[in-house]
Structure formats: C-alpha cells, structure tokens
Amino acid sequence: DAMVIQNPRYQVTQFGKPVTLSCSQTLNHNVMYWYQQKSSQAPKLLFHYYDKDFNNEADTPDNFQSRRPNTSFCFLDIRSPGLGDAAMYLCATSRVPGLLYNEQFFGPGTRLTVL
Amino acid sequence: ELKVEQNPLFLSMQEGKNYTIYCNYSTTSDRLYWYRQDPGKSLESLFVLLSNGAVKQEGRLMASLDTKARLSTLHITAAVHDLSATYFCAVDAAGGTSYGKLTFGQGTILTVHP
C-alpha cells in the first residue's frame, strides 16, 4: 500500500544534542510537509518542499532545518533541541499544486522527548 | 492572516445523542478538510469539502460547507464510544496553484460516554 512512513516513532534526545527525524513516502507526491504538534494543540506547519523548492514558514525557528535528497525522503533536523521542542512531529505529503485540491496524507508521527 | 476557529473545544456527549461541531474561518476558501486524531496517533482524513453546499457523510458523521458564511459543520448522529477522539478542521485558503498549505482549527476533543 502507498503510504507515508516516519522513523523513528519515538525519539529521546538530550538537551542540545542534535537529532534527525526521517520521513519517506511511496505515494510519489511532489510536496512534503513537516508539522510540529504540541500536546493538546493543533499541528503547526514548520516548512514544506515542492520538489526541491524549500519553503520555510516565517515563524519557524532557525534551530529547525530540513533536507530532501530525493522525491521519496525528507528529513527534519533539530540542531540544538530545547525542552520546548518536545512534541509530536508529523510529516505529510500532497500531489502537484494546481489540482482541484491538495489533500494531505499524514504519516504516523514521531514523538520527540527532550531530557 | 487566515484564522480558523472551532467550537466547542470540548464536547462530552452521551451515547445515542446528536451534536454539531462548528468550524469558522476568516478568509475566502472553498477547500476545507476534517481530520480525526486519536490520542498519541496521527491525523486521519475524514472529509474533503470542495465547494459551497458540499455535504459528505460517512457512518454517523456528516460534514457540510457554506463558503458564503465561511462555516463548516461536522454533525454527529447517535454517538457511540468509538467516536471519542479529537476532530480538527483545516482550511486551504491559497487556492489556484497553491501548495495546499493548511491552517488548522484548535481541535474539538469529543468524549462519548454511556
């Protein structure tokens, strides 16, 4: 089945220790998104890629970076995690813009704990 | 800036009862999505509403969209415990050749009890 996969599902890191979260997709979608969702809050878009074109949200901290080496994979790098970065990180994909709609398909998420 | 507001934020329902969750948004859009999220899980797509007057139904849930009023509703009929979850509406206001960037409502935490 075509799907969005995130690894790991649970990640524990230490304060200030860099961490990388992974997302892969078999949907062959052009757009990949990273969201941060803190407890009892709505998902908040951090950035997205349209193919290789990177689009950062204005309020995304510099501490968060992303890479997309190919169509299938996208990575979220947190350079120096703080306690406030503990959250669920959701990856999503959608098809080419300009279609009638761009439904987003979400992966299972990675729960990040910062000690 | 697009704002999306849901109400109520918390909903405690008895099994068998009906209720409606409301989603208001602040700018023109004809693309609205409803998602369900179980505790500790990801988002599951429920409905995609693409035009004024759109109505979609799946089981005990029915969603509608009124683009003129900038309002979507999620109606729950004869609630059962399995419907307990958090429900989000999300609006794509960019239109045209957008990337489908979504703005989410705050979420409605639904609890169905006997």
Side-chain angles (χ1 to χ4, degrees), chain A residues 7 12 14 16 18 23 27 42 47 65 76 85-86 106:
Chain A
N7 285 302
V12 179
Q14 291 181 328
C23 177
L27 297 161
F47 26 59
Q65 304 284 320
L76 170 62
D85 297 328
F106 285 82

mmCIF file of all heavy atoms in Angstrom, chain A residues 7 12 14 16 18 23 27 42 47 65 76 85-86 106:
data_model
loop_
_atom_site.group_PDB
_atom_site.id
_atom_site.type_symbol
_atom_site.label_atom_id
_atom_site.label_comp_id
_atom_site.label_asym_id
_atom_site.label_seq_id
_atom_site.Cartn_x
_atom_site.Cartn_y
_atom_site.Cartn_z
ATOM 1 N N ASN A 7 10.254 7.573 10.754
ATOM 2 C CA ASN A 7 11.155 6.874 11.656
ATOM 3 C C ASN A 7 12.034 7.870 12.414
ATOM 4 O O ASN A 7 12.462 8.879 11.846
ATOM 5 C CB ASN A 7 12.060 5.917 10.863
ATOM 6 C CG ASN A 7 11.314 4.692 10.420
ATOM 7 O OD1 ASN A 7 10.766 3.950 11.229
ATOM 8 N ND2 ASN A 7 11.275 4.476 9.118
ATOM 9 N N VAL A 12 14.137 9.893 21.857
ATOM 10 C CA VAL A 12 14.519 10.597 23.075
ATOM 11 C C VAL A 12 15.895 11.195 22.832
ATOM 12 O O VAL A 12 16.803 10.497 22.377
ATOM 13 C CB VAL A 12 14.556 9.640 24.292
ATOM 14 C CG1 VAL A 12 14.974 10.392 25.543
ATOM 15 C CG2 VAL A 12 13.199 8.971 24.486
ATOM 16 N N GLN A 14 18.872 14.383 24.315
ATOM 17 C CA GLN A 14 19.247 15.244 25.430
ATOM 18 C C GLN A 14 19.211 16.693 24.983
ATOM 19 O O GLN A 14 19.389 17.006 23.803
ATOM 20 C CB GLN A 14 20.646 14.879 25.917
ATOM 21 C CG GLN A 14 20.712 13.521 26.591
ATOM 22 C CD GLN A 14 22.102 13.206 27.078
ATOM 23 O OE1 GLN A 14 23.085 13.617 26.476
ATOM 24 N NE2 GLN A 14 22.184 12.473 28.170
ATOM 25 N N GLY A 16 20.092 19.992 23.767
ATOM 26 C CA GLY A 16 21.229 20.467 22.988
ATOM 27 C C GLY A 16 21.845 19.444 22.057
ATOM 28 O O GLY A 16 22.732 19.796 21.261
ATOM 29 N N PRO A 18 21.922 17.274 18.808
ATOM 30 C CA PRO A 18 21.203 17.270 17.520
ATOM 31 C C PRO A 18 20.460 15.967 17.288
ATOM 32 O O PRO A 18 20.904 14.888 17.684
ATOM 33 C CB PRO A 18 22.338 17.427 16.500
ATOM 34 C CG PRO A 18 23.460 18.043 17.238
ATOM 35 C CD PRO A 18 23.364 17.527 18.651
ATOM 36 N N CYS A 23 11.337 10.933 7.169
ATOM 37 C CA CYS A 23 10.036 10.694 6.556
ATOM 38 C C CYS A 23 10.263 10.147 5.157
ATOM 39 O O CYS A 23 11.077 10.693 4.396
ATOM 40 C CB CYS A 23 9.238 11.988 6.481
ATOM 41 S SG CYS A 23 7.624 11.822 5.662
ATOM 42 N N LEU A 27 4.009 7.443 -2.207
ATOM 43 C CA LEU A 27 2.893 7.992 -2.964
ATOM 44 C C LEU A 27 3.350 8.752 -4.208
ATOM 45 O O LEU A 27 2.526 9.143 -5.022
ATOM 46 C CB LEU A 27 2.078 8.937 -2.066
ATOM 47 C CG LEU A 27 1.424 8.279 -0.847
ATOM 48 C CD1 LEU A 27 1.052 9.318 0.203
ATOM 49 C CD2 LEU A 27 0.196 7.504 -1.271
ATOM 50 N N ALA A 42 -3.136 22.247 17.931
ATOM 51 C CA ALA A 42 -3.259 21.898 16.523
ATOM 52 C C ALA A 42 -1.872 21.754 15.904
ATOM 53 O O ALA A 42 -0.902 22.330 16.400
ATOM 54 C CB ALA A 42 -4.034 22.982 15.788
ATOM 55 N N PHE A 47 7.669 23.857 7.693
ATOM 56 C CA PHE A 47 8.143 24.135 6.327
ATOM 57 C C PHE A 47 7.625 23.052 5.395
ATOM 58 O O PHE A 47 7.059 22.042 5.836
ATOM 59 C CB PHE A 47 9.674 24.209 6.214
ATOM 60 C CG PHE A 47 10.458 23.450 7.241
ATOM 61 C CD1 PHE A 47 10.318 22.081 7.397
ATOM 62 C CD2 PHE A 47 11.359 24.120 8.060
ATOM 63 C CE1 PHE A 47 11.047 21.399 8.345
ATOM 64 C CE2 PHE A 47 12.100 23.434 9.010
ATOM 65 C CZ PHE A 47 11.943 22.079 9.164
ATOM 66 N N GLN A 65 15.821 22.638 10.673
ATOM 67 C CA GLN A 65 16.253 22.614 9.293
ATOM 68 C C GLN A 65 15.635 21.381 8.622
ATOM 69 O O GLN A 65 15.181 20.456 9.293
ATOM 70 C CB GLN A 65 17.779 22.517 9.208
ATOM 71 C CG GLN A 65 18.521 23.623 9.956
ATOM 72 C CD GLN A 65 18.487 24.938 9.223
ATOM 73 O OE1 GLN A 65 18.605 24.979 8.003
ATOM 74 N NE2 GLN A 65 18.326 26.028 9.964
ATOM 75 N N LEU A 76 13.962 16.027 8.949
ATOM 76 C CA LEU A 76 13.860 17.190 9.839
ATOM 77 C C LEU A 76 15.029 17.131 10.797
ATOM 78 O O LEU A 76 15.187 16.147 11.526
ATOM 79 C CB LEU A 76 12.536 17.146 10.600
ATOM 80 C CG LEU A 76 12.363 18.146 11.737
ATOM 81 C CD1 LEU A 76 12.430 19.575 11.235
ATOM 82 C CD2 LEU A 76 11.028 17.916 12.460
ATOM 83 N N ASP A 85 10.964 21.979 22.536
ATOM 84 C CA ASP A 85 10.823 21.304 21.240
ATOM 85 C C ASP A 85 10.224 19.910 21.374
ATOM 86 O O ASP A 85 10.009 19.228 20.361
ATOM 87 C CB ASP A 85 12.186 21.214 20.548
ATOM 88 C CG ASP A 85 12.757 22.586 20.227
ATOM 89 O OD1 ASP A 85 11.956 23.511 19.954
ATOM 90 O OD2 ASP A 85 13.998 22.741 20.274
ATOM 91 N N ALA A 86 9.981 19.488 22.588
ATOM 92 C CA ALA A 86 9.318 18.197 22.796
ATOM 93 C C ALA A 86 7.912 18.272 22.224
ATOM 94 O O ALA A 86 7.133 19.169 22.566
ATOM 95 C CB ALA A 86 9.272 17.863 24.278
ATOM 96 N N PHE A 106 -0.995 12.095 6.002
ATOM 97 C CA PHE A 106 -0.092 12.197 7.136
ATOM 98 C C PHE A 106 0.555 10.864 7.483
ATOM 99 O O PHE A 106 -0.077 9.802 7.398
ATOM 100 C CB PHE A 106 -0.841 12.722 8.363
ATOM 101 C CG PHE A 106 -1.133 14.195 8.301
ATOM 102 C CD1 PHE A 106 -2.220 14.673 7.595
ATOM 103 C CD2 PHE A 106 -0.301 15.098 8.941
ATOM 104 C CE1 PHE A 106 -2.478 16.041 7.517
ATOM 105 C CE2 PHE A 106 -0.559 16.464 8.875
ATOM 106 C CZ PHE A 106 -1.638 16.931 8.168
#
